[in-house]
Amino acid sequence: MITLKMEIWYVLFPILLTDIVNPVLFEFMVFAAASNRPVLLSSSMLLGHTVAYFSAGIILALFMESITDFFANPRRIDFIIELILGVILLWVAFGARKDTGKRPEGETAEFSVIGAFGFGAVVNFIGIPFAVPYFAAIDQILKTDSSTVQSALLLLSYNLAYALPFTMVPVLSALMGERARPILMKINQGLDKVSGVLMPLLLGLVGLALLADAITYFVRGSSLF
């Protein structure tokens, strides 16, 4: 029987929150919701993003796991990766730009369903280095020493939890029709403003936590979490 290590979510949740605060995907989805097929296209965009994010996570996990297997002490390399990610997150937090990535241009979205799906996938690569929290989440999942299936399920759970807040775009579009557009625009504008302050703070806090955990391991031989 497959059992997930639920305590990992004490670590994954703040990383997830940091990941979600990036407003780029939401803004593209609001753009898609301005089309004549708002529910279908915004849903397709979210699905494309989720599939691509999960697939990229699997590839990254396999790459990081292969590095771990190369070394004699897999636990040590896990914490070396964690230390590096902590430094990168702090660097991103202190050097975070007010602009968190490319934005859609124009007032009306003109996508096909496949085009929206593709745009959702491409959004994964817009706004890097703000995808660094995802690396941190993958590293934490690998540190649990779970089976391949358990790790994949944890990563899938992370991706589904990430996608959940963004479902408000197609849901509101379905329930309210044209009336949803000004509401979504206001939410988008508020998220953009809040992320400019909140995102560097969250990136810094997660970075400090990873650094503290890695340094504690190297000094005392045991981690904080």
Side-chain angles (χ1 to χ4, degrees), residues 55-130:
S55 300
I58 292 292
I59 294 171
L60 287 170
L62 291 173
F63 175 72
M64 292 166 70
E65 189 68 23
S66 66
I67 293 176
T68 296
D69 292 340
F70 182 78
F71 291 89
N73 190 341
R75 293 290 295 174
R76 182 172 292 273
I77 190 60
D78 283 336
F79 285 95
I80 290 175
I81 293 173
E82 183 178 52
L83 183 68
I84 293 171
L85 289 173
V87 172
I88 293 174
L89 281 168
L90 285 176
W91 176 76
V92 171
F94 286 110
R97 301 163 297 172
K98 291 183 179 179
D99 183 18
T100 54
K102 185 179 178 181
R103 297 295 196 272
E105 298 177 357
E107 296 182 356
T108 304
E110 296 182 359
F111 294 120
S112 65
V113 175
I114 295 176
F117 184 94
F119 256 91
V122 170
V123 168
N124 283 281
F125 308 103
I126 297 175
I128 294 174
F130 293 96

Side-chain angles (χ1 to χ4, degrees), residues 17-24 89 92-94 96-97 100 127 129-133 191-206:
L17 181 61
T18 307
D19 211 0
I20 290 174
V21 167
N22 187 347
V24 176
L89 281 168
V92 171
F94 286 110
R97 301 163 297 172
T100 54
F130 293 96
V132 176
L191 180 61
D192 209 19
K193 292 179 181 179
V194 169
S195 67
V197 177
L198 189 59
M199 193 169 188
L201 176 61
L202 290 174
L203 286 168
L205 290 174
V206 171

Side-chain angles (χ1 to χ4, degrees), residues 11 79 143 208-209 211-214 216-217 220 222-225:
V11 180
F79 285 95
K143 276 172 57 183
L208 286 173
L211 279 176
D213 186 52
T216 301
Y217 172 80
R220 299 165 58 181
S222 61
S223 63
L224 293 175
F225 43 83

